[in-house]
Amino acid sequence: MALYEGIALIQEKQAVVLDLGTDYTKFGFTGEAAPRCIIPSEYWCPTERRFKRVHDYKNEEELYDNLVHMLHLLYFRHVLVNPKERKVVVVESLLTPTLFRETLAKVLFLHYEVSGVMWADSARMCALTLGAPVVLVVSLGARDAEVVAVVHGCPVLQALQSQPLGARALHDELARLLDRDHGAELHLPERVLEDIKARACFVPSRQRALQLAGAGGEGGAAGVTPARGVVYTLAERSLLVSGAARELAAEPLFARDNELASLPDIVLQCIALCPIDARRELAANILLTGGGAALPGLRARLAQELRHLVTLPPYSDRLRIGEFKFHSAPAHENCAAWLGGALCGAADGGARALARDAFVRARRVADWPSLLHTTPPAHPHWAALASD
């Protein structure tokens, strides 16, 4: 046997990287440039005779069953590896519910008996792909839009912002516009709305959006020429997608109200809550990630909105920023967090992974909102927290 073959036999196998999103799941190996599979976060439920989403659960037992079936699909149909032989890097949001994290840990350690699991937050993983010390990560997921400032490898938790401005908000607006154009409720399924958004919708400039708003969203009434409509073919009939629907579907991201909860607002609020010496650098290192970030024109429109809002109160009194710059992720926007997890897992080598025997003894997963894991062991109340 050649020497290099013997070394390969004793080396530890590549860990797998799991990014279990609300709508789509990315799964692959560390050290690789792209996931092996990107599939919907659902599985065929034999008892209910339908496709069931992983995140649709009522209690811990139902979530446990969902995760067991989903991981079985990933391990034994898409990548064909033995879960006991490989560690796992779990890429997740900072706002992932504790119940979901602990249940996923039980499934991985007790059901599939993996040797170790490392949890990595998606914001730091996205910043890792750039190699920049200060990055403002704007993630547009299926349900929420999250803005996290990563300063020298640490997320600024006090500045974290989140609003329900994900893909579902765009789908609801697109469905409303299509119903208005056709004069009836179409009741289009989520997958059809997503396909129409990906194929036909785009984000106009700020000036054109104001013109369309002045024309009542129709165009023509104020001298605004609407975009060309397209025909979307369904299985049973064809559907006309008007130019107004194509352009205005993403307007919920920029609609302002008294709570200042639009996407540009939460970006500026996150910057304003960060240390003053990092604000300019954060504005110059913005990274858009998530499936919603792939919408054409979104980056340019967000830059225009930020340059406009920073001159208005309450931001004009706190921020002295005149320029906003955006990074281009080294991977597709929806895979940036997964790629960071693959890089982190390859560089770490599993040293920071929670071992299976340690989890079996304590049955606890370190979580930043937990007082037990944020309180020093020398604190007088630590023993009482550990006993709870």
Side-chain angles (χ1 to χ4, degrees):
M1 180 184 295
L3 177 61
Y4 67 87
E5 291 180 355
I7 294 176
L9 289 175
I10 64 175
Q11 284 181 339
E12 187 174 1
K13 295 184 178 181
Q14 287 176 294
V16 294
V17 184
L18 172 64
D19 185 356
L20 193 59
T22 304
D23 279 351
Y24 289 93
T25 295
K26 280 75 69 176
F27 197 66
F29 298 104
T30 57
E32 296 188 354
R36 291 293 181 94
C37 64
I38 302 177
I39 62 173
S41 300
E42 61 184 21
Y43 67 95
W44 175 257
C45 182
T47 58
E48 300 182 15
R49 304 295 297 174
R50 67 180 179 91
F51 283 100
K52 187 175 181 181
R53 291 180 176 271
V54 175
H55 289 78
D56 292 344
Y57 58 91
K58 298 179 181 178
N59 48 50
E60 183 179 352
E61 290 75 18
E62 186 176 0
L63 175 60
Y64 188 94
D65 293 337
N66 292 351
L67 292 173
V68 167
H69 286 91
M70 187 66 195
L71 289 175
H72 185 275
L73 182 69
L74 293 170
Y75 273 115
F76 300 110
R77 179 171 296 182
H78 290 281
V79 297
L80 302 177
V81 295
N82 185 358
K84 296 182 180 181
E85 298 176 350
R86 299 173 187 270
K87 295 181 179 179
V88 183
V89 179
V90 177
V91 180
E92 62 176 6
S93 168
L94 282 169
L95 301 180
T96 301
T98 302
L99 174 64
F100 191 91
R101 300 179 79 249
E102 293 182 348
T103 307
L104 179 58
K106 293 178 183 178
V107 172
L108 289 172
F109 283 120
L110 304 181
H111 188 90
Y112 288 101
E113 298 182 356
V114 300
S115 58
V117 180
M118 182 177 72
W119 279 266
D121 61 275
S122 57
R124 286 194 301 165
M125 296 302 101
C126 291
L128 179 62
T129 62
L130 300 179
V134 178
V135 181
L136 185 68
V137 181
V138 182
S139 177
L140 300 178
R143 295 177 179 172
D144 302 321
E146 297 178 12
V147 183
V148 184
V150 181
V151 180
H152 297 287
C154 296
V156 184
L157 296 180
Q158 66 178 6
L160 188 149
Q161 301 290 324
S162 178
Q163 289 293 335
L165 298 174
R168 303 290 172 81
L170 274 65
H171 295 171
D172 293 342
E173 179 68 10
L174 179 59
R176 187 189 69 80
L177 293 170
L178 292 175
D179 292 345
R180 184 197 66 182
D181 293 340
H182 291 79
E185 294 186 2
L186 302 177
H187 300 290
L188 297 175
E190 195 77 18
R191 57 178 181 81
V192 173
L193 293 171
E194 181 182 6
D195 196 33
I196 295 175
K197 180 193 70 174
R199 292 174 180 268
C201 296
F202 61 95
V203 183
S205 64
R206 182 176 183 275
Q207 181 180 2
R208 181 169 176 80
L210 292 175
Q211 293 174 349
L212 289 171
E218 298 290 345
V224 182
T225 304
R228 182 174 60 90
V230 297
V231 177
Y232 181 80
T233 303
L234 295 170
E236 62 279 2
R237 62 189 177 95
S238 296
L239 182 69
L240 176 63
V241 183
S242 65
R246 296 178 61 196
E247 294 187 83
L248 298 177
E251 286 307 302
L253 298 179
F254 308 101
R256 304 190 72 199
D257 54 14
N258 293 332
E259 296 182 359
L260 304 180
S262 67
L263 180 62
D265 279 301
I266 62 176
V267 171
L268 293 177
Q269 290 166 15
C270 180
I271 296 176
L273 291 173
C274 288
I276 191 171
D277 56 341
R279 293 175 185 175
R280 287 185 180 272
E281 197 168 354
L282 285 170
N285 294 274
I286 302 176
L287 177 63
L288 276 174
T289 65
L295 205 60
L298 178 61
R299 187 183 304 179
R301 174 68 180 281
L302 181 57
Q304 294 172 0
E305 295 285 348
L306 290 174
R307 286 194 293 266
H308 172 70
L309 290 183
V310 79
T311 62
L312 303 177
Y315 310 114
S316 58
D317 300 332
R318 302 185 61 184
L319 299 175
R320 298 293 186 269
I321 300 173
E323 189 176 15
F324 295 88
K325 296 181 180 180
F326 291 79
H327 281 281
S328 295
H332 197 273
E333 288 83 356
N334 66 334
C335 294
W338 184 95
L339 179 60
L343 291 173
C344 182
D348 181 79
R352 290 184 296 174
L354 175 64
R356 180 175 180 271
D357 55 352
F359 176 81
V360 171
R361 288 196 302 268
R363 296 291 180 93
R364 292 181 183 271
V365 179
D367 199 359
W368 65 269
S370 173
L371 290 176
L372 175 64
H373 301 108
T374 56
T375 303
H379 195 276
H381 295 164
W382 190 87
L385 292 171
S387 62
D388 290 342

